[in-house]
């Protein structure tokens, strides 16, 4: 029941709260456990062996895993070289300042709030490109995204996207204090951006500036805008000098990777293939371009995704994604995107849960404004049965970008895994408000409703899903007719056969459970293991599979996935 004070920090392990000068600091996962161990040692050395024995009992982990979690902790604390944590080479770590231990009764409880409310929030709108050629229209979204990424890793600042069409209401709903917007123009080889910083509360323009560079130095334009914003915002001004980026060898490489990122946003197959080609072109020009390697890793992850119907099989795509992420980190170890990609490879392909947690937590620590890193970390936490932490991470991702369909659909999964079916349905409904008619949303809604026993509603969603699938022409009518003439069970056989024929084996396993066919569900799950399907990490937490937890075949599946000891094999 003790509270630990050291330097500007107050650590309350019971409330799982760390504050710095009264402001709450987010510390993820294993990094939090490391901090508690250091505080409990009160300045004494904590050895590598002690960390490993307490954090990973009965598990062999590589030395780098502890190093990565320690780096995540340093990043969360804003630690300079040995400022807060001292490294004793080949031995361990200790806090580099006196620790005062006191009773919790002597510390009034600070309001919990959320990280976005406590940090300054900047909303960023895609820059207008109404006066540029259609071939250059990607610049408005891409330059705004690049500026957001540069600013997102700065302590004390949260960066959120808003839609181009939204007025200030969208920025206000995010709790943003400022809005960055602008226009892009291109004359011959000159790029011009007129940037404006708006005070959200009053709607008045606070500052504006015109930036101009030759097309030969688009990165300088991006960096100039980011530095200007950083010096204009009180939360970021002290850190403005920390902004850095790599200058690619040619402007073509820079603009190719910007264009590739614009294609990645749609999460559909044809733009994904275009993004792959553009990243590869950029790297052919400049093999040392870390951002392009990170983007290539993200692209190959999507190529292997079950949700994308896998343009590439995981045994082809995942090793390439790993190499691209590792190459990016060799060139720039501060790239949150590359850490998140590496964590996803470990989560979805290697089933290396400790390695995945280390890399994903590090990605979030490097850039707490990365929706992708937060959402992936939230999914990992959910798969591990750490539901409160998972919901917190996913809700933070939603606060950053409340109109992200991907985030809302993954939030629904996390609530569902936590046993909160109604909240899961609400999240799916929110995604349908953003993307009406989305077959994926109706498919997810159907799965949740079936598991909750609401068969008639689930059948309606099933028919809607079928009508939205190009591979299912005429199947909706056939399933509907069977349901009316021969009953629900006959209709399910046709539906599940389609899922298996189109390699949606995880869905087939869940639907076999809904139909009361546990043996066939296990057949489908074993197929998922052999194929390394994307959402296998959720198997231990999935409400459909609760009746299987004592089944020997299911236990073998958990053992293969290395989930049997990590999650206790069940859901609360």
């Amino acid at each position: 029941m003790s509270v630990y004070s050291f330097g500007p920090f107050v650590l309350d392990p019971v409330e799982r709260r760390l504050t710095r000068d009264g402001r709450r600091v987010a510390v993820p996962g294993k990094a939090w456990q490391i901090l508690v161990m250091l505080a409990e040692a009160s300045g004494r050395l904590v050895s590598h062996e002690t960390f490993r024995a307490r954090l990973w009992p009965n598990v062999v982990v590589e030395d780098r895993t502890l190093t990565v979690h320690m780096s995540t902790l340093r990043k969360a604390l804003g630690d300079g070289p040995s400022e807060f944590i001292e490294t004793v080479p080949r031995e361990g770590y200790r806090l580099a300042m006196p620790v005062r231990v006191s009773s919790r009764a002597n510390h009034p409880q600070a309001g919990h709030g959320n990280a976005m409310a406590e940090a300054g929030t900047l909303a960023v709108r895609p820059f207008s490109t109404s006066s540029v050629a259609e071939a250059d229209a990607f610049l408005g979204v891409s330059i705004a995204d690049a500026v957001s990424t540069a600013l997102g890793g700065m302590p004390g600042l949260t960066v959120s996207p808003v839609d181009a069409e939204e007025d200030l209401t969208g920025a206000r709903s995010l709790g943003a204090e400022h809005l960055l917007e602008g226009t892009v123009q291109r004359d011959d080889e000159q790029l011009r951006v007129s940037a404006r910083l708006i005070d959200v509360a009053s709607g008045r323009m606070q500052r504006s500036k015109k930036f101009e560079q030759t097309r030969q130095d688009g990165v300088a334009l991006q960096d100039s805008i980011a530095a200007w914003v950083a010096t204009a915002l009180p939360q970021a001004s002290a850190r403005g000098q920390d902004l850095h980026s790599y200058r690619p060898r040619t402007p073509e490489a820079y603009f190719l990777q910007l264009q590739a990122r614009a294609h990645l946003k749609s999460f559909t197959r044809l733009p994904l293939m275009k993004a792959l080609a553009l990243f590869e072109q950029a790297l052919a020009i400049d093999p040392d371009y870390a951002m392009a390697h990170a983007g290539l890793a993200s692209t190959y992850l999507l190529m292997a995704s079950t949700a994308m119907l896998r343009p590439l099989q995981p045994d082809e795509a995942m090793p390439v994604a790993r190499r691209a992420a590792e190459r990016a980190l060799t060139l720039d170890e501060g790239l949150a995107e590359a850490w998140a990609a590496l964590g996803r490879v470990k989560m979805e392909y290697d089933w290396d849960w400790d390695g995945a947690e280390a890399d994903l937590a590090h990605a979030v620590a490097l850039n707490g404004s990365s929706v992708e890193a937060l959402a992936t970390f939230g999914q990992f936490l959910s798969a591990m049965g750490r539901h409160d932490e998972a919901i917190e991470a996913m809700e933070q991702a939603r606060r950053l970008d409340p109109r992200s369909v991907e985030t809302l659909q993954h939030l629904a999964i996390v609530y569902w895994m936590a046993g909160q079916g109604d909240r899961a349905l609400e999240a799916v409904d929110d995604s349908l408000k953003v993307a009406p008619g989305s077959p994926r949303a109706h498919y997810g809604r159907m799965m949740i409703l079936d598991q909750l026993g609401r068969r008639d509603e689930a059948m309606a969603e099933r028919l809607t899903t079928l009508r939205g699938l190009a591979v299912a022409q005429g199947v909706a009518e056939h399933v509907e007719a069977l349901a009316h003439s021969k009953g629900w069970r006959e209709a399910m056989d046709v539906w599940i056969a389609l899922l298996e024929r189109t390699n949606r084996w995880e869905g087939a396993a869940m639907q076999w459970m809904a139909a009361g066919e546990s043996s066939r569900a296990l057949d489908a799950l074993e197929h998922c293991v052999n194929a390394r399907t994307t959402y296998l990490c959720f198997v231990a937490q999935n409400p459909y599979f609760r009746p299987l937890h004592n089944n020997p075949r299911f236990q073998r599946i958990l053992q293969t996935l290395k989930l049997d000891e990590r999650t206790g094999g069940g859901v609360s």
Side-chain angles (χ1 to χ4, degrees):
M1 300 294 287
S2 297
V3 171
Y4 303 90
S5 302
F6 47 95
F9 298 101
V10 177
L11 172 69
D12 184 341
V14 174
E15 288 290 320
R16 204 190 185 286
R17 182 173 62 249
L18 176 72
T19 59
R20 177 173 182 168
D21 296 326
R23 183 183 292 270
R24 190 165 184 176
V25 178
V27 181
K30 284 285 193 292
W32 171 264
Q33 294 174 260
I34 290 171
L35 180 60
V36 172
M37 290 177 69
L38 290 170
E40 289 173 344
S42 296
R44 297 185 301 276
L45 179 75
V46 182
S47 69
H48 294 151
E49 291 73 18
T50 301
F51 280 119
R52 282 194 285 264
R54 182 159 160 186
L55 300 176
W56 299 282
N58 305 315
V59 176
V60 177
V61 296
E62 58 187 26
D63 291 341
R64 177 178 169 278
T65 301
L66 175 59
T67 303
V68 170
H69 283 301
M70 187 62 72
S71 179
T72 297
L73 175 58
R74 291 185 189 277
K75 185 72 178 179
L77 298 179
D79 192 10
S82 301
E83 184 180 355
F84 302 132
I85 300 171
E86 179 185 352
T87 301
V88 180
R90 295 181 296 280
E91 293 189 37
Y93 303 91
R94 61 180 164 224
L95 286 177
M97 64 198 78
V99 177
R100 184 166 57 86
V101 184
S102 57
S103 167
R104 293 188 71 242
N106 297 330
H107 289 265
Q109 302 302 300
H112 287 266
N114 64 69
M116 287 183 66
E118 294 171 1
T121 302
L122 170 72
V124 180
R125 176 180 287 157
F127 295 168
S128 170
T129 55
S130 57
S131 61
V132 303
E134 185 176 349
D136 290 326
F138 70 92
L139 290 171
V141 170
S142 298
I143 292 178
D145 280 352
V147 171
S148 297
T149 299
L151 293 167
M154 300 183 66
L157 182 65
T158 297
V159 184
S160 292
V162 292
D163 285 354
E165 299 79 16
E166 281 190 285
D167 57 18
L168 283 173
T169 304
R172 290 188 183 112
S173 68
L174 294 169
E177 299 164 16
H178 301 89
L179 169 69
L180 175 66
E181 62 179 17
T183 58
V184 179
Q185 293 179 311
R186 181 184 171 194
D187 298 324
D188 297 323
E189 290 305 307
Q190 293 293 114
L191 271 176
R192 297 186 180 89
V193 173
S194 297
R196 297 175 293 279
L197 203 57
I198 310 296
D199 176 75
V200 172
S202 66
R204 297 194 184 99
M205 183 172 67
Q206 281 192 323
R207 298 182 68 181
S208 66
K209 187 171 181 179
K210 292 184 178 180
F211 300 86
E212 183 172 348
Q213 293 283 349
T214 66
R215 189 177 170 84
Q216 297 298 310
D217 205 356
V219 182
L221 185 75
Q222 160 198 308
D223 291 349
S224 296
I225 299 169
W228 173 73
V229 173
T231 56
L233 299 177
Q235 298 89 353
S237 57
R239 297 279 182 154
Q241 67 271 22
D242 292 348
L243 292 170
H244 72 282
S245 63
Y246 172 76
R247 296 286 194 276
R249 294 176 185 174
T250 68
E252 286 79 15
Y254 173 70
F255 288 107
L256 283 167
Q257 75 91 21
L258 281 188
Q259 194 171 2
R261 290 180 180 282
H263 283 298
L264 279 184
K265 282 183 169 292
S266 68
F267 292 96
T268 51
R269 288 179 63 135
L270 182 57
L272 181 63
M273 304 302 287
K274 290 179 179 177
L276 176 62
L278 290 164
F279 279 126
E280 288 178 337
Q281 289 176 49
L283 289 168
I285 296 170
D286 186 351
D288 294 331
Y289 197 179
M291 286 290 292
H293 282 291
L296 189 67
S298 298
T299 304
Y300 271 104
L301 281 165
L302 285 172
M303 297 280 282
S305 172
T306 305
M308 301 290 294
L309 297 182
R310 288 191 158 163
L312 275 180
Q313 288 304 303
D315 287 344
E316 298 176 76
M318 287 301 201
V320 182
R322 187 201 318 278
R323 287 196 298 271
E326 289 175 342
R327 177 61 176 155
L329 293 172
T330 299
L331 295 164
D332 184 353
E333 65 177 9
L335 278 181
E337 179 185 12
W339 285 109
L342 195 56
R344 276 189 60 192
V345 171
K346 292 176 181 179
M347 179 173 75
E348 295 175 8
Y349 186 69
D350 298 335
W351 308 324
D352 171 8
W353 309 114
D354 286 321
E357 179 174 9
D359 293 347
L360 293 171
H362 197 54
V364 172
L366 286 167
N367 187 349
S369 295
S370 170
V371 174
E372 292 76 14
L374 278 164
T376 307
F377 192 40
Q379 292 168 65
F380 167 83
L381 293 167
S382 174
M384 296 298 104
R386 292 157 60 182
H387 299 301
D388 290 344
E389 293 176 78
I391 290 168
E392 181 181 349
M394 289 300 309
E395 286 289 4
Q396 173 75 342
R398 171 157 70 170
R399 286 190 291 268
L400 284 164
D401 190 359
R403 293 183 60 79
S404 167
V405 174
E406 291 291 312
T407 299
L408 290 167
Q409 291 176 352
H410 286 133
L411 175 63
I413 292 174
V414 168
Y415 272 122
W416 186 34
M417 296 300 127
Q420 299 186 40
D422 289 341
R423 297 293 298 273
L425 290 171
E426 288 173 10
V428 176
D429 291 345
D430 287 343
S431 78
L432 282 166
K433 292 173 186 174
V434 179
S438 163
R440 258 185 88 185
H442 286 291
Y443 178 83
R445 204 169 192 283
M446 173 208 68
M447 288 293 182
I448 297 168
L449 289 167
D450 249 343
Q451 185 267 319
L452 295 175
R454 294 158 63 176
R455 283 186 178 180
D456 290 343
E457 294 172 81
M459 182 59 76
E461 296 291 347
R462 185 174 293 110
L463 297 175
T464 301
T465 301
L466 285 167
R467 292 186 180 104
L469 294 176
V471 296
Q473 295 299 313
V475 178
E477 291 71 20
H478 181 43
V479 168
E480 187 173 22
L482 277 175
H484 286 304
S485 61
K486 296 189 176 182
W488 176 84
R489 185 64 181 77
E490 294 280 345
M492 286 291 282
D493 283 343
V494 173
W495 160 245
I496 298 172
L498 174 67
L499 292 176
E500 294 181 342
R501 192 165 65 249
T502 55
N503 291 315
R504 293 173 169 90
W505 289 95
E506 285 157 329
M510 289 186 276
Q511 293 292 266
W512 280 127
M513 289 301 295
E517 297 275 2
S518 60
S519 178
R520 301 189 76 168
L522 286 163
D523 291 342
L525 278 176
E526 286 166 353
H527 186 97
C528 291
V529 172
N530 292 331
R532 277 181 157 79
T533 54
T534 301
Y535 295 105
L536 267 175
C537 61
F538 290 112
V539 163
Q541 302 301 321
N542 192 313
Y544 271 109
F545 305 135
R546 287 174 187 162
L548 298 176
H549 285 171
N550 294 322
N551 183 292
R553 285 177 68 188
F554 187 74
Q555 285 298 317
R556 285 194 293 274
I557 289 170
L558 292 183
Q559 289 165 9
T560 301
L561 297 174
K562 308 169 193 172
L563 283 172
D564 50 326
E565 295 182 0
R566 300 257 344 165
T567 63
V571 205
S572 59

